[in-house]
Structures are given as structure tokens and as C-alpha cells.
Amino acid sequence: MTDTALKPGSTLGIVGGGQLGRMIALAAANYGLKVHVYAPDRDSPAFDVAARTTCAAYDDAEALAGFAQSVDAVTYEFENIPRATADILARHAPLHPNAEALSTTQDRLTEKEFINRLGIPTAPFQAVDTPDDLDRAIGALGLPSVLKTRRFGYDGKGQRILRERAEGDRNALFAEFGGAPLILEGFVPFEREVSVVAARGRDGSFAAFDLCENEHRDHILALTRVPAPGLTPETARAALDIAKRIADALDYVGVLAVEMFLVRENGVERLVVNEIAPRVHNSGHWTIEGALTSQFAQHVRAVSGWPLGDSARVGGLPVEMRNLIGAQADDWSALLAEPGAHLHLYGKGEARPGRKMGHVTRLGRVPEA
Amino acid sequence: MTDTALKPGSTLGIVGGGQLGRMIALAAANYGLKVHVYAPDRDSPAFDVAARTTCAAYDDAEALAGFAQSVDAVTYEFENIPRATADILARHAPLHPNAEALSTTQDRLTEKEFINRLGIPTAPFQAVDTPDDLDRAIGALGLPSVLKTRRFGYDGKGQRILRERAEGDRNALFAEFGGAPLILEGFVPFEREVSVVAARGRDGSFAAFDLCENEHRDHILALTRVPAPGLTPETARAALDIAKRIADALDYVGVLAVEMFLVRENGVERLVVNEIAPRVHNSGHWTIEGALTSQFAQHVRAVSGWPLGDSARVGGLPVEMRNLIGAQADDWSALLAEPGAHLHLYGKGEARPGRKMGHVTRLGRVPEA
């Protein structure tokens, strides 16, 4: 197994078959790569655009090894794959981002400890392994605060805001989370949520897209605006620098996203890292039309050992990306008819509530301040 | 079989598995469509990005019927499929562009007669079915002139320039063309080659991309510049109007390209139609980054019964597209490293001489006058 740059005609393995894997696959195809997608669900949207597919569980060691042996490099579209899975893959093919970056960032506790070790602020936090820990953690952090599973959370799943001291309910709370290790995070009085989507190449090169502002509804990303309005240029630069320090420290290869809170206290802006996504990210979908290189093309470049592309915005225009969640995708026909609206649909069958069905990107609108 | 607008999740059938089919498939995937590609060659580049594939000959009636029954609409990526094939497809699924448009434009004689009937000039031409016809045709058109097969020619294949009266060689010439029906085309003293790439929707709506100037080397497109430099705005408008009249007369649905010669006589610009391509076209590849809607997205919109997208150039910038022919694709690594160069590779195995392996698009260069 050697980790030389991929040549056109090589096969890129993608673990995970959702819309992120699908869009990575489309970008890889554009560069003349073949794609082999590994996912457990027969209805995986990425299967429809892959040269080859493996439908197997993430703990199927034999299938994982066969998959990795069939490709020239492996990447993944989401962080909730077990470390053991990553280790099997890495034994048979170059794995980017590396398994250590994956395991550091897929656990909210190790992630925050890692970030703090770099001198970068996060929300205050306490590990909560027992009901007793919860009392102590609430005592330390106060209320409101947020109780989360350490691993496998996304889109608000696996978390709960605690507003009042839940006397006597500690055991019920633990049962609710299925006994998984938890973390309590202190409340951050933030003004905005922003994210940096950036790429680091195998040679250590780094290219960040412009800072994004994100709005969530029901814990799901609803809207991304670029550039993030209402911030000083210094804060925007500081955000990009944080992402670079994190990527360097992880020896990261590929696209990552760093979600941050913007806190304003006495007129001073301050950034607090919320979490790291070791993958292409929903807040980077605007780059497909809005940047000279999309986050998906950039990710393919990075994991293939190729030079990173130009991450500047097309024509310097502001960009707005809206997710189409559940029934919002029923508007596809009107969106197709709207001049300048770039519609993307992910080929998912059923528009269940909360399911990301597609997104729409508009260039040139001046973001609201 | 009904011809209603496709819904996301529907399956689009594409006949032909080359790079054009591949890029249509990528555009269809972006809109949440599934793609079923039909092609005779196991190594078809479009197979690698299709949800489903059928590998069978273009005259395999059973395979064609099964394919058409499995999809919600059928389109094709090239015009050299037999009329009988189109008729089988159209019996089982809506076929766009229609079979009549295909058969009219795949034969250089019926194509030119059709264009002339619209009052649009072509090169002068004569049908050549026998060696005797050739003498008569040369007598009528003079020399030099170009002898071509009526059907199945592309990239300069199936044609030969006659510069001197080929006394006694008439029979050898016929043998060279395999006895296929021929056409002799008179010489057009053109200054530039231009093309209009445009789309017509099922509702008769029409949207043209800006006029392209094309440079060929060895009969293969080498370079497209947009907007075509050095033409009056009136000529550019006239070119678009010609394309619209042709599309309307064919009751065309989808993207088509009309190649034209620009003739300048005594300072007056005049357009002469060279040929119609009833499909997406190499001279439209620049639209992927250079236009608000790519020709591939536009084609998918048209054949799906959706509204056409905005065909304006991104930021009004000039665009240059260069084909990577044969070994030119060996420069992929340097092109990836060039800021602002958009590289596309088609996933073809062997870089044979004359084979289109990819293309590269650059925005914002001022075209040479």
C-alpha cells in the first residue's frame, strides 16, 4: 500500500452513501476518477452515481477489507464510523482523513480536550459518566446547559437542553440516553453561528473558503450566508486561523468544517469552537456554484494528493444556501422556474420530516446585516 | 406512455455512453434523477456514473424495448443511432429530441434540404450516389469541394477534400467511402467557425447560450471562445435567430448545436449553416462553469419537461474551453495546479491519438480579437 497521488482512472473509495458521498462522487467523476461507495443501506443516494458499490455493515471486517483492497484511496462522508472500521480500511488503502483525526473528532469529549490543548476556546464542559457526575457537572457549569451523547450525535439528535435542576430525574435522563457516555456543555451566549469550511492537502497546504454564517431550525441547518455578515475582518481572519491550527494539529487531509459561536461582549467579538466535522459539510454546499472550486472537488483534490484549488468566491459575489428539509423539497418545481436559483436534489425516496432532501443556492443577493 | 414532466426520483434513459452521456448523467443526478445508460461498449464512460446500465447493440430490439420500458423518458447523446432504434425507443417512452429531428439531422443531404427550406443558407451541395453523379456535382460546384458520407460522420471521419478533378479515380473514391451515399459540398470561403448551443423546452420556450467561436485542428474541435470575438452584435443575434428557427421547425426538445461559417465579403458578414448536432455539443462544454445553467443541466430540464434555466454567462465573463485530445490529457497534473483552470476528465482508459480525453475551461480571459 503506497500513498502516491492518484492518477485519473484510479478508484476512490467513499465510506457512507448519503448526499455528501453522492456529491463527492460527482466531483470525483468530473476528474476522471472511478468511485466505489461502501454503505449499509440499499437505498443509499450515492450508489446511483458510483461505478461500483458495496452494501454491507460498517462492522463487516471482510467486506471492509475487500472494499479497501479494491480502491486506490479511501475517504468517508461522515464521522460516525467506528475507529475499528477506520483501522481496517487504513490497513488496506491510504485513508484520508486519517483514523486518529476521525476518532478525536467523533467524540465530543476528546474533541473539546484536543481543541483546548491548542489554546482555542470551546464551551465549558464536563464529562458525565454517572448520574452523580451530572450533579457535579451542573454545579460546575450552571444552568441552562446542554447534555449530549459523546458520540454519534447529529442534527440535534442525542442532545437535550437542561433548563432547571432535574431533581430526582437523573436516572431517567440517563435511561433516555441509553446509558451512553455523556458530556455536559455550558451555555454560550452567542450572537451568531459561523463555520469555516477548509481543506488541507497531503503536503500541508491549506485553503479555506470564506467564513459562513449559519442559521439552524430545530437543530438542523436551514440557511448559510457567505460572507458571514456583521463581523470584523479580524474576526473572520481569526476564524480561518483557528481552522488551520486544528487541521495542522490533526495532520488532516481533506475538507473539514469547524463550527463556531460568535460571542459579543462589551462590543468585543470572540469565537468559541462548537465542533469539528471531519468531512465535507452542509455549510459548504454553496461552494458548488459560489466558489471557484467546490468543497467536493477540493476534498477529492486533497485526498487524491493533488494541489488544492482556488477557494475564492466566484466574482466575489455573496451567496446564500437554503436546505430543503422534508416537505420543503416539494417546492422543486417553483425553484426550477426561479431565475438564478441553483436547485440540488439528492435522489432520496421519501421526504420524511427533518430529512435533508436537497438545497438551493442563490448568488449575488446582498446578505442581510 | 404519457409525456408528463418528470418528477425527482424518476429515471432518465440516455442512449450512448460517451463523455456527453456521462456529463448529462452527472447533471441529471444533481436534480435527483436516476439515470439508465444504454450503450454497446462495456467501457462506456457514462456507465460509471449511472444508477443502471444496459450493455447491448443499437439494433437489439429486445434490449432497446426493455430499456425504454424501464425509464420515464429517453434522450440520446449522439446522432448516429439508426432511425429504427429511435422508433423502438419512442414506442415505449417519451423520446426527446424526437425521432424525426434525429433522422433529419443525421443525414447531411436531408439536413441541408431542411435548412434551405427554412430560407437559411448552407454550403451549396449535390447528392452523389454514383461515380457519374460526382462528375456532374464537381461541374456544378467547382473545386475545391468536400466529399462526405451522408451519414455517420464525425470529427472529420467520412470526408475528403477534393482539390483537383480526380480523373479516372472516381471508382477508387467510391470504394474508399465503402459505397455509402455521398454528398459533395461546395467550398465556403469562411473567416471563422461559430456555433450556437441552445435549448428548446417542451412548451416551445427557447434559450440560447452566447455565440461561440470554434477552432478545429485535424477536423477535431480544439478551442471554443465565448463570446465569439470580432462579430457585429447583429450577426450574433442573427445566429441565435437561425438556431431558434431550426429548433422550432424540428419541434425540437432538448439542447442542440448549430455550427455555422462566418463569411465576410466586401465588409459584410454573412452566416452559412454547416451542420446541426441534435444533442449537447462539445462547443457548449464551457457552460459548466461559464453559464448560470450548463448545457447538460439545460438538456435535462428540457427533456424532463421542466422550465429552461438562465443561459447567461456567469458574471458576463469571457470563457475559453480547450479540448484535451489524446496525449494532451497527460498535462492533467499541471492543469490541476493552474489557478482558475477548470479541468474535466472523462474517465477513458486509453489516450489514443484523436480521442477526446477531457477539456479545460478558463473564465475571465479576454479572447483574442
Side-chain angles (χ1 to χ4, degrees), chain B residues 203-232:
Chain B
D203 59 356
S205 56
F206 181 83
F209 297 101
D210 284 337
L211 186 66
C212 316
E213 182 190 30
N214 303 314
E215 286 182 16
H216 291 78
R217 307 223 204 302
D218 302 327
H219 297 283
I220 302 173
L221 182 67
L223 173 67
T224 295
R225 283 196 196 89
V226 188
L231 277 72
T232 66

mmCIF file of all heavy atoms in Angstrom, chain B residues 203-232:
data_model
loop_
_atom_site.group_PDB
_atom_site.id
_atom_site.type_symbol
_atom_site.label_atom_id
_atom_site.label_comp_id
_atom_site.label_asym_id
_atom_site.label_seq_id
_atom_site.Cartn_x
_atom_site.Cartn_y
_atom_site.Cartn_z
ATOM 1 N N ASP B 203 -42.510 23.151 -23.991
ATOM 2 C CA ASP B 203 -43.540 24.176 -24.192
ATOM 3 C C ASP B 203 -43.162 25.153 -25.299
ATOM 4 O O ASP B 203 -43.838 26.163 -25.500
ATOM 5 C CB ASP B 203 -43.764 24.939 -22.883
ATOM 6 C CG ASP B 203 -42.488 25.608 -22.381
ATOM 7 O OD1 ASP B 203 -41.416 25.417 -23.016
ATOM 8 O OD2 ASP B 203 -42.542 26.326 -21.369
ATOM 9 N N GLY B 204 -42.085 24.883 -26.023
ATOM 10 C CA GLY B 204 -41.660 25.775 -27.097
ATOM 11 C C GLY B 204 -40.773 26.911 -26.643
ATOM 12 O O GLY B 204 -40.332 27.725 -27.470
ATOM 13 N N SER B 205 -40.499 27.004 -25.352
ATOM 14 C CA SER B 205 -39.586 28.041 -24.867
ATOM 15 C C SER B 205 -38.204 27.787 -25.453
ATOM 16 O O SER B 205 -37.854 26.647 -25.813
ATOM 17 C CB SER B 205 -39.522 28.020 -23.337
ATOM 18 O OG SER B 205 -39.157 26.725 -22.881
ATOM 19 N N PHE B 206 -37.421 28.850 -25.556
ATOM 20 C CA PHE B 206 -36.118 28.758 -26.226
ATOM 21 C C PHE B 206 -35.107 29.561 -25.443
ATOM 22 O O PHE B 206 -35.391 30.678 -25.001
ATOM 23 C CB PHE B 206 -36.246 29.306 -27.663
ATOM 24 C CG PHE B 206 -34.979 29.244 -28.464
ATOM 25 C CD1 PHE B 206 -34.604 28.075 -29.123
ATOM 26 C CD2 PHE B 206 -34.148 30.357 -28.560
ATOM 27 C CE1 PHE B 206 -33.444 28.018 -29.874
ATOM 28 C CE2 PHE B 206 -32.971 30.299 -29.314
ATOM 29 C CZ PHE B 206 -32.622 29.126 -29.967
ATOM 30 N N ALA B 207 -33.930 29.010 -25.244
ATOM 31 C CA ALA B 207 -32.859 29.731 -24.553
ATOM 32 C C ALA B 207 -31.537 29.362 -25.198
ATOM 33 O O ALA B 207 -31.142 28.195 -25.201
ATOM 34 C CB ALA B 207 -32.837 29.361 -23.068
ATOM 35 N N ALA B 208 -30.869 30.368 -25.757
ATOM 36 C CA ALA B 208 -29.576 30.131 -26.408
ATOM 37 C C ALA B 208 -28.452 30.609 -25.498
ATOM 38 O O ALA B 208 -28.585 31.617 -24.807
ATOM 39 C CB ALA B 208 -29.508 30.861 -27.741
ATOM 40 N N PHE B 209 -27.365 29.873 -25.491
ATOM 41 C CA PHE B 209 -26.129 30.373 -24.894
ATOM 42 C C PHE B 209 -25.494 31.359 -25.864
ATOM 43 O O PHE B 209 -25.848 31.403 -27.044
ATOM 44 C CB PHE B 209 -25.178 29.208 -24.594
ATOM 45 C CG PHE B 209 -25.718 28.243 -23.580
ATOM 46 C CD1 PHE B 209 -26.268 27.034 -23.990
ATOM 47 C CD2 PHE B 209 -25.701 28.548 -22.231
ATOM 48 C CE1 PHE B 209 -26.778 26.129 -23.058
ATOM 49 C CE2 PHE B 209 -26.214 27.653 -21.291
ATOM 50 C CZ PHE B 209 -26.757 26.454 -21.704
ATOM 51 N N ASP B 210 -24.568 32.144 -25.350
ATOM 52 C CA ASP B 210 -23.920 33.126 -26.209
ATOM 53 C C ASP B 210 -23.144 32.442 -27.334
ATOM 54 O O ASP B 210 -22.670 31.311 -27.186
ATOM 55 C CB ASP B 210 -22.988 34.011 -25.379
ATOM 56 C CG ASP B 210 -23.770 35.035 -24.562
ATOM 57 O OD1 ASP B 210 -24.916 35.347 -24.940
ATOM 58 O OD2 ASP B 210 -23.238 35.512 -23.547
ATOM 59 N N LEU B 211 -23.027 33.160 -28.431
ATOM 60 C CA LEU B 211 -22.394 32.618 -29.634
ATOM 61 C C LEU B 211 -20.934 32.249 -29.357
ATOM 62 O O LEU B 211 -20.196 33.010 -28.734
ATOM 63 C CB LEU B 211 -22.473 33.665 -30.752
ATOM 64 C CG LEU B 211 -22.000 33.230 -32.136
ATOM 65 C CD1 LEU B 211 -22.912 32.149 -32.700
ATOM 66 C CD2 LEU B 211 -21.952 34.426 -33.077
ATOM 67 N N CYS B 212 -20.547 31.071 -29.829
ATOM 68 C CA CYS B 212 -19.202 30.537 -29.608
ATOM 69 C C CYS B 212 -18.395 30.642 -30.889
ATOM 70 O O CYS B 212 -18.912 30.409 -31.979
ATOM 71 C CB CYS B 212 -19.268 29.048 -29.263
ATOM 72 S SG CYS B 212 -20.523 28.582 -28.082
ATOM 73 N N GLU B 213 -17.110 30.914 -30.742
ATOM 74 C CA GLU B 213 -16.205 30.742 -31.874
ATOM 75 C C GLU B 213 -15.401 29.470 -31.656
ATOM 76 O O GLU B 213 -14.915 29.216 -30.547
ATOM 77 C CB GLU B 213 -15.240 31.913 -32.020
ATOM 78 C CG GLU B 213 -14.344 31.718 -33.232
ATOM 79 C CD GLU B 213 -13.193 32.708 -33.331
ATOM 80 O OE1 GLU B 213 -12.713 33.182 -32.282
ATOM 81 O OE2 GLU B 213 -12.776 32.997 -34.449
ATOM 82 N N ASN B 214 -15.256 28.680 -32.705
ATOM 83 C CA ASN B 214 -14.596 27.384 -32.591
ATOM 84 C C ASN B 214 -13.390 27.286 -33.512
ATOM 85 O O ASN B 214 -13.445 27.732 -34.650
ATOM 86 C CB ASN B 214 -15.579 26.258 -32.942
ATOM 87 C CG ASN B 214 -16.809 26.297 -32.057
ATOM 88 O OD1 ASN B 214 -16.692 26.448 -30.857
ATOM 89 N ND2 ASN B 214 -17.980 26.204 -32.664
ATOM 90 N N GLU B 215 -12.327 26.709 -32.994
ATOM 91 C CA GLU B 215 -11.150 26.420 -33.820
ATOM 92 C C GLU B 215 -10.953 24.913 -33.845
ATOM 93 O O GLU B 215 -10.958 24.266 -32.797
ATOM 94 C CB GLU B 215 -9.898 27.089 -33.238
ATOM 95 C CG GLU B 215 -9.882 28.583 -33.452
ATOM 96 C CD GLU B 215 -8.612 29.231 -32.908
ATOM 97 O OE1 GLU B 215 -7.621 28.502 -32.651
ATOM 98 O OE2 GLU B 215 -8.631 30.456 -32.716
ATOM 99 N N HIS B 216 -10.769 24.406 -35.039
ATOM 100 C CA HIS B 216 -10.540 22.968 -35.196
ATOM 101 C C HIS B 216 -9.092 22.710 -35.580
ATOM 102 O O HIS B 216 -8.455 23.533 -36.227
ATOM 103 C CB HIS B 216 -11.457 22.397 -36.286
ATOM 104 C CG HIS B 216 -12.903 22.385 -35.905
ATOM 105 N ND1 HIS B 216 -13.687 23.514 -35.939
ATOM 106 C CD2 HIS B 216 -13.700 21.392 -35.451
ATOM 107 C CE1 HIS B 216 -14.927 23.205 -35.536
ATOM 108 N NE2 HIS B 216 -14.954 21.927 -35.229
ATOM 109 N N ARG B 217 -8.571 21.572 -35.128
ATOM 110 C CA ARG B 217 -7.276 21.090 -35.614
ATOM 111 C C ARG B 217 -7.498 19.639 -36.027
ATOM 112 O O ARG B 217 -8.056 18.853 -35.260
ATOM 113 C CB ARG B 217 -6.213 21.123 -34.521
ATOM 114 C CG ARG B 217 -6.091 22.479 -33.855
ATOM 115 C CD ARG B 217 -4.688 22.937 -33.618
ATOM 116 N NE ARG B 217 -4.618 23.909 -32.530
ATOM 117 C CZ ARG B 217 -5.272 25.079 -32.481
ATOM 118 N NH1 ARG B 217 -6.088 25.433 -33.464
ATOM 119 N NH2 ARG B 217 -5.122 25.882 -31.441
ATOM 120 N N ASP B 218 -7.057 19.317 -37.246
ATOM 121 C CA ASP B 218 -7.256 17.955 -37.771
ATOM 122 C C ASP B 218 -8.727 17.546 -37.684
ATOM 123 O O ASP B 218 -9.045 16.430 -37.285
ATOM 124 C CB ASP B 218 -6.381 16.949 -37.002
ATOM 125 C CG ASP B 218 -4.905 17.310 -37.078
ATOM 126 O OD1 ASP B 218 -4.486 17.848 -38.121
ATOM 127 O OD2 ASP B 218 -4.192 17.076 -36.090
ATOM 128 N N HIS B 219 -9.602 18.477 -37.997
ATOM 129 C CA HIS B 219 -11.054 18.235 -38.039
ATOM 130 C C HIS B 219 -11.676 18.018 -36.656
ATOM 131 O O HIS B 219 -12.840 17.648 -36.558
ATOM 132 C CB HIS B 219 -11.401 17.026 -38.929
ATOM 133 C CG HIS B 219 -11.033 17.231 -40.362
ATOM 134 N ND1 HIS B 219 -11.776 18.013 -41.213
ATOM 135 C CD2 HIS B 219 -9.994 16.770 -41.092
ATOM 136 C CE1 HIS B 219 -11.222 18.006 -42.406
ATOM 137 N NE2 HIS B 219 -10.134 17.267 -42.360
ATOM 138 N N ILE B 220 -10.914 18.183 -35.594
ATOM 139 C CA ILE B 220 -11.466 17.988 -34.253
ATOM 140 C C ILE B 220 -11.474 19.339 -33.541
ATOM 141 O O ILE B 220 -10.498 20.105 -33.622
ATOM 142 C CB ILE B 220 -10.609 16.973 -33.454
ATOM 143 C CG1 ILE B 220 -10.548 15.633 -34.196
ATOM 144 C CG2 ILE B 220 -11.171 16.781 -32.052
ATOM 145 C CD1 ILE B 220 -9.594 14.636 -33.566
ATOM 146 N N LEU B 221 -12.549 19.612 -32.825
ATOM 147 C CA LEU B 221 -12.624 20.874 -32.096
ATOM 148 C C LEU B 221 -11.444 20.972 -31.138
ATOM 149 O O LEU B 221 -11.197 20.056 -30.342
ATOM 150 C CB LEU B 221 -13.945 20.951 -31.318
ATOM 151 C CG LEU B 221 -14.153 22.264 -30.560
ATOM 152 C CD1 LEU B 221 -14.325 23.440 -31.515
ATOM 153 C CD2 LEU B 221 -15.369 22.167 -29.628
ATOM 154 N N ALA B 222 -10.737 22.089 -31.217
ATOM 155 C CA ALA B 222 -9.591 22.286 -30.316
ATOM 156 C C ALA B 222 -9.919 23.319 -29.251
ATOM 157 O O ALA B 222 -9.526 23.179 -28.093
ATOM 158 C CB ALA B 222 -8.365 22.736 -31.115
ATOM 159 N N LEU B 223 -10.654 24.363 -29.641
ATOM 160 C CA LEU B 223 -10.798 25.549 -28.797
ATOM 161 C C LEU B 223 -12.138 26.219 -29.057
ATOM 162 O O LEU B 223 -12.543 26.372 -30.209
ATOM 163 C CB LEU B 223 -9.657 26.518 -29.165
ATOM 164 C CG LEU B 223 -9.659 27.904 -28.556
ATOM 165 C CD1 LEU B 223 -9.425 27.819 -27.053
ATOM 166 C CD2 LEU B 223 -8.579 28.762 -29.194
ATOM 167 N N THR B 224 -12.822 26.592 -27.998
ATOM 168 C CA THR B 224 -14.034 27.399 -28.115
ATOM 169 C C THR B 224 -13.849 28.669 -27.304
ATOM 170 O O THR B 224 -13.401 28.613 -26.157
ATOM 171 C CB THR B 224 -15.266 26.632 -27.599
ATOM 172 O OG1 THR B 224 -15.511 25.510 -28.442
ATOM 173 C CG2 THR B 224 -16.509 27.513 -27.592
ATOM 174 N N ARG B 225 -14.174 29.800 -27.915
ATOM 175 C CA ARG B 225 -14.135 31.091 -27.215
ATOM 176 C C ARG B 225 -15.536 31.686 -27.187
ATOM 177 O O ARG B 225 -16.235 31.685 -28.196
ATOM 178 C CB ARG B 225 -13.241 32.092 -27.956
ATOM 179 C CG ARG B 225 -11.784 31.890 -27.783
ATOM 180 C CD ARG B 225 -11.029 33.166 -28.231
ATOM 181 N NE ARG B 225 -9.624 32.853 -28.412
ATOM 182 C CZ ARG B 225 -9.095 32.427 -29.552
ATOM 183 N NH1 ARG B 225 -9.848 32.312 -30.640
ATOM 184 N NH2 ARG B 225 -7.818 32.146 -29.631
ATOM 185 N N VAL B 226 -15.897 32.224 -26.041
ATOM 186 C CA VAL B 226 -17.208 32.862 -25.892
ATOM 187 C C VAL B 226 -17.032 34.164 -25.136
ATOM 188 O O VAL B 226 -16.370 34.174 -24.100
ATOM 189 C CB VAL B 226 -18.164 31.943 -25.097
ATOM 190 C CG1 VAL B 226 -19.582 32.511 -25.123
ATOM 191 C CG2 VAL B 226 -18.152 30.537 -25.671
ATOM 192 N N PRO B 227 -17.592 35.280 -25.594
ATOM 193 C CA PRO B 227 -18.370 35.381 -26.836
ATOM 194 C C PRO B 227 -17.449 35.342 -28.045
ATOM 195 O O PRO B 227 -16.273 35.667 -27.940
ATOM 196 C CB PRO B 227 -19.031 36.752 -26.696
ATOM 197 C CG PRO B 227 -18.105 37.539 -25.839
ATOM 198 C CD PRO B 227 -17.516 36.556 -24.865
ATOM 199 N N ALA B 228 -18.009 34.908 -29.173
ATOM 200 C CA ALA B 228 -17.234 34.887 -30.412
ATOM 201 C C ALA B 228 -16.754 36.299 -30.691
ATOM 202 O O ALA B 228 -17.568 37.225 -30.781
ATOM 203 C CB ALA B 228 -18.100 34.360 -31.556
ATOM 204 N N PRO B 229 -15.451 36.482 -30.797
ATOM 205 C CA PRO B 229 -14.929 37.842 -30.963
ATOM 206 C C PRO B 229 -15.033 38.323 -32.412
ATOM 207 O O PRO B 229 -15.112 37.515 -33.339
ATOM 208 C CB PRO B 229 -13.462 37.687 -30.549
ATOM 209 C CG PRO B 229 -13.124 36.260 -30.834
ATOM 210 C CD PRO B 229 -14.392 35.460 -30.738
ATOM 211 N N GLY B 230 -15.050 39.639 -32.575
ATOM 212 C CA GLY B 230 -14.908 40.218 -33.904
ATOM 213 C C GLY B 230 -16.140 40.164 -34.774
ATOM 214 O O GLY B 230 -16.063 40.352 -35.981
ATOM 215 N N LEU B 231 -17.321 39.878 -34.163
ATOM 216 C CA LEU B 231 -18.565 39.882 -34.935
ATOM 217 C C LEU B 231 -19.408 41.072 -34.509
ATOM 218 O O LEU B 231 -19.347 41.513 -33.362
ATOM 219 C CB LEU B 231 -19.382 38.628 -34.652
ATOM 220 C CG LEU B 231 -19.066 37.347 -35.399
ATOM 221 C CD1 LEU B 231 -17.762 36.761 -34.900
ATOM 222 C CD2 LEU B 231 -20.208 36.359 -35.224
ATOM 223 N N THR B 232 -20.232 41.533 -35.406
ATOM 224 C CA THR B 232 -21.164 42.583 -35.009
ATOM 225 C C THR B 232 -22.261 41.963 -34.134
ATOM 226 O O THR B 232 -22.574 40.778 -34.261
ATOM 227 C CB THR B 232 -21.828 43.237 -36.230
ATOM 228 O OG1 THR B 232 -22.653 42.261 -36.869
ATOM 229 C CG2 THR B 232 -20.789 43.767 -37.212
#
